[in-house]
Amino acid sequence: MMGDSLCVSHRTAEAVHRTRSFITVLPFALLLPTVRVSAQLMGGPLDCHKTCVCASNIISCSNTNLTNVPIALPEYTAVLDLSFNSITKLRAEWTSINLGRLHTLLLNNNGLTFLSSEAFIYVTKVHYLDLSSNRLRLLDEIIFEPLEQLKVLLLYNNCISQIDRSAFSSLIQLQKLYLSHNSISRFPLELVKERSRLETLRLLDVSSNRIKVLPLHELQALPAWIKNGLYFHNNSLPCSCELYEVVARWNLKELSSAVDFRSSHTCVLPGQQKEKMAILDLNKVHLNCSEAKIMDEKAYLEQFLVLDCDARQKNMTKRWTLPGNIPLSANKTAVINHDGNLQIGPLSVEDSGVYTCYATSDFLNETLYVTVVVFNSTMTGGLENLKTAYTTLVACLVSVVMVLIYLYLTPCRCCPGQGLEKNDPNDSLRSSTVSVSQAHKDTGQEGVEGGGFSYRHVGFPDIKDQMEQNGRLNPIGEEDEEWHGESKERRRSDAESVSSVCSDTPMVV
């Protein structure tokens, strides 16, 4: 009995010991996944002997099969190379200390699919960020907000299809942005447009995307130093003469974006086959576009004209010479503005000719020619001449209409019952004479000797005396006279004077 009880006691003690051991081990077992997740999130400590190469302030952990960024990075790190690894997510806690000296961060070829909105809060001094050849699809508005000193951003060869309009607005020092080989369908005009553009941006590459519409008028109006670094080749752009004109002009100006990728500037012809052809060949076949030329400046007398020295680089030193290679100091009407452009005026015909701008910098010398044609007239004078001609034409038409109305629509006002004999229709003069004689008889006036008229003006009267107040000729040169009949006074006017209206044959003017 006692043996059994000891066995039971032993078994009981063994069971209690096993239970206590299980309870003791259980918390560690529960914490193990958390430790593994934390290790996955934080990564292992930096090993400058096995996984990374540390040379002064440069740390290179390229192509070492890392899944996370190593922890415990030194504060003096200036260059961090994590390229060609398997870091698929860049979380906010990838570094817990402020890397204030880090200016170059390489994360290309990692398969990145996620960027935390707080991924760069501890690396605000970065100048060069390479995120190319990953799997990024979306760029939010606040991802790059802490990187106010960033100058170069590489995002090419990703899967980016959506870009928030303000995703790069905080990058006030950005100079180069590479977005080629993505799935972008909208041209980011806000980056280069006058009011919203990044002031320091001088290279924007959106080539090899899915862009089908370009704001051609806005692009053509950009300064040459922006167009020189604006790459949009190898997109699905529909062929048009407007597109040809833009590319052809950029090619004539020898802009790098057009010259360096001349054969890659293609467009899609209309039709079901979606055939591609070189944009610069559109003036030869298919659309038969007009040959592109650099526009000259045209102006009128007394105007002021500003000539733009549109150089391919920003902030170049500019110097002008006048037509005939005359120095600028010899002309008092030409002045160079603070931006290097030349203002001339008030213009005269002698100001016509070729103006030359010499733009120089440490890396480039460029010569630009601007041809000015001054027309020998003023803009307002030309408009006044046009207005006068138009007024004269209208007056002539009104005169013709009034003559036709006078000839064919004026009713005959012959006094009835006078029994005038009808003369030969072709004898208009005789018809008028009969009318005049009859009018004298009606008024009771006697003729002068020989049966002549009692009027003073006969034969060839003066033109001044024949004009009425409204400018019409008095047909027979009579003057307005007042005479008194029996118990009443009567004024004879031209409306009642003798004219060919009473004749049967209309007067031909």
Side-chain angles (χ1 to χ4, degrees):
M1 294 289 297
M2 291 181 61
D4 294 339
S5 61
L6 290 173
C7 183
V8 171
S9 299
H10 177 73
R11 291 177 180 176
T12 303
E14 186 177 2
V16 170
H17 177 73
R18 290 179 179 178
T19 303
R20 289 178 178 176
S21 300
F22 176 75
I23 294 175
T24 304
V25 175
L26 181 60
F28 294 99
L30 292 176
L31 290 175
L32 184 60
T34 304
V35 173
R36 291 179 179 177
V37 172
S38 178
Q40 291 179 355
L41 293 178
M42 299 298 296
L46 176 65
D47 188 351
C48 292
H49 301 285
K50 295 182 180 179
T51 57
C52 300
V53 176
C54 303
S56 183
N57 58 357
I58 299 176
I59 297 178
S60 176
C61 303
S62 177
N63 198 17
T64 54
N65 296 322
L66 293 178
T67 56
N68 288 285
V69 181
I71 61 175
L73 294 172
E75 295 181 359
Y76 56 80
T77 303
V79 178
L80 178 59
D81 185 2
L82 300 172
S83 60
F84 294 94
N85 283 290
S86 301
I87 305 174
T88 58
K89 296 182 180 182
L90 190 64
R91 304 181 184 274
E93 58 272 11
W94 69 273
T95 177
S96 58
I97 61 173
N98 185 14
L99 301 178
R101 300 182 184 180
L102 184 67
H103 60 75
T104 302
L105 178 58
L106 308 178
L107 286 165
N108 54 296
N109 293 277
N110 269 282
L112 274 171
T113 59
F114 173 77
L115 289 177
S116 172
S117 59
E118 299 179 352
F120 304 109
I121 59 175
Y122 292 119
V123 290
T124 57
K125 306 295 183 179
V126 170
H127 293 172
Y128 187 97
L129 176 60
D130 189 354
L131 295 171
S132 63
S133 299
N134 284 293
R135 298 177 184 176
L136 300 174
R137 296 180 177 274
L138 175 65
L139 297 180
D140 292 329
E141 58 179 337
I142 60 175
I143 291 180
F144 304 110
E145 186 174 0
L147 303 175
E148 294 183 354
Q149 298 186 21
L150 187 64
K151 296 180 179 180
V152 180
L153 177 57
L154 289 80
L155 288 165
Y156 65 85
N157 195 27
N158 274 276
C159 305
I160 301 172
S161 59
Q162 297 182 16
I163 302 177
D164 191 275
R165 292 181 180 271
S166 58
F168 308 108
S169 60
S170 60
L171 305 180
I172 56 178
Q173 297 190 31
L174 187 65
Q175 298 178 3
K176 298 180 180 180
L177 177 58
Y178 298 86
L179 291 168
S180 62
H181 295 276
N182 280 284
S183 301
I184 301 172
S185 59
R186 182 188 67 86
F187 181 83
L189 182 62
E190 64 275 1
L191 297 178
V192 294
K193 198 172 182 179
E194 182 65 31
R195 295 183 179 180
S196 59
R197 76 180 181 203
L198 300 177
E199 291 296 331
T200 59
L201 186 67
R202 54 187 176 89
L203 189 148
L204 174 61
D205 186 2
V206 291
S207 61
S208 301
N209 276 280
R210 298 180 181 179
I211 299 175
K212 296 183 179 180
V213 178
L214 281 178
L216 297 176
H217 294 289
E218 287 81 358
L219 295 184
Q220 190 70 345
L222 294 175
W225 63 270
I226 293 181
K227 294 187 287 189
N228 190 54
L230 185 56
Y231 299 86
F232 58 85
H233 56 273
N234 197 24
N235 275 283
S236 302
L237 301 173
C239 294
S240 67
C241 289
E242 291 78 9
L243 178 62
Y244 163 77
E245 185 176 5
V246 170
V247 177
R249 286 188 180 182
W250 291 19
N251 186 70
L252 288 174
K253 205 168 178 60
E254 297 183 354
L255 300 180
S256 300
S257 55
V259 175
D260 295 347
F261 295 91
R262 180 186 177 96
S263 60
S264 298
H265 277 283
T266 59
C267 60
V268 180
L269 291 171
Q272 297 181 352
Q273 297 181 354
K274 303 298 181 181
E275 180 183 357
K276 285 189 175 183
M277 72 168 300
I279 295 177
L280 294 178
D281 292 337
L282 290 177
N283 64 325
K284 302 175 182 178
V285 294
H286 298 288
L287 298 182
N288 194 25
C289 300
S290 301
E291 184 178 359
K293 297 179 180 180
I294 298 179
M295 297 296 293
D296 298 329
E297 295 289 345
K298 299 179 181 179
Y300 295 87
L301 296 178
E302 301 179 2
Q303 282 188 332
F304 287 84
L305 188 63
V306 177
L307 305 182
D308 187 7
C309 188
D310 199 13
R312 286 178 287 171
Q313 285 189 4
K314 191 178 181 181
N315 299 327
M316 298 183 71
T317 303
K318 300 174 182 178
R319 179 175 60 87
W320 286 88
T321 58
L322 305 180
N325 202 24
I326 300 175
L328 187 64
S329 58
N331 192 319
K332 297 182 179 180
T333 61
V335 179
I336 296 183
N337 296 333
H338 67 280
D339 55 1
N341 296 332
L342 181 67
Q343 177 178 316
I344 53 177
L347 294 175
S348 61
V349 178
E350 291 75 14
D351 291 323
S352 298
V354 179
Y355 292 76
T356 307
C357 175
Y358 300 96
T360 59
S361 68
D362 296 336
F363 308 100
L364 177 67
N365 293 331
E366 187 176 1
T367 303
L368 302 175
Y369 302 95
V370 182
T371 302
V372 176
V373 178
V374 180
F375 295 101
N376 193 15
S377 64
T378 60
M379 177 68 74
T380 57
L383 295 177
E384 289 295 333
N385 294 337
L386 179 62
K387 185 185 299 183
T388 302
Y390 176 76
T391 304
T392 304
L393 177 61
V394 172
C396 292
L397 293 177
V398 171
S399 300
V400 172
V401 173
M402 294 300 294
V403 169
L404 294 177
I405 293 176
Y406 178 77
L407 291 178
Y408 295 103
L409 299 182
T410 304
C412 180
R413 294 187 289 180
C414 297
C415 300
Q418 299 300 324
L420 293 176
E421 292 184 0
K422 192 176 269 190
N423 297 291
D424 188 359
N426 296 322
D427 194 356
S428 169
L429 179 59
R430 183 177 179 181
S431 175
S432 299
T433 304
V434 174
S435 302
V436 172
S437 300
Q438 187 64 35
H440 278 282
K441 292 180 182 180
D442 292 341
T443 57
Q445 291 184 341
E446 296 179 356
V448 295
E449 293 181 1
F453 299 108
S454 61
Y455 301 104
R456 289 179 298 171
H457 297 284
V458 293
F460 300 96
D462 294 335
I463 297 300
K464 180 178 180 183
D465 297 332
Q466 295 183 24
M467 297 298 294
E468 292 184 350
Q469 292 181 357
N470 61 356
R472 293 184 296 130
L473 284 175
N474 193 331
I476 61 175
E478 61 179 340
E479 294 180 348
D480 292 340
E481 296 182 0
E482 293 185 359
W483 59 282
H484 298 277
E486 298 179 359
S487 69
K488 64 179 179 180
E489 186 178 85
R490 179 180 178 187
R491 178 179 177 85
R492 183 175 57 190
S493 63
D494 288 332
E496 295 175 330
S497 63
V498 181
S499 66
S500 61
V501 176
C502 295
S503 62
D504 295 332
T505 304
M507 179 179 294
V508 178
V509 180

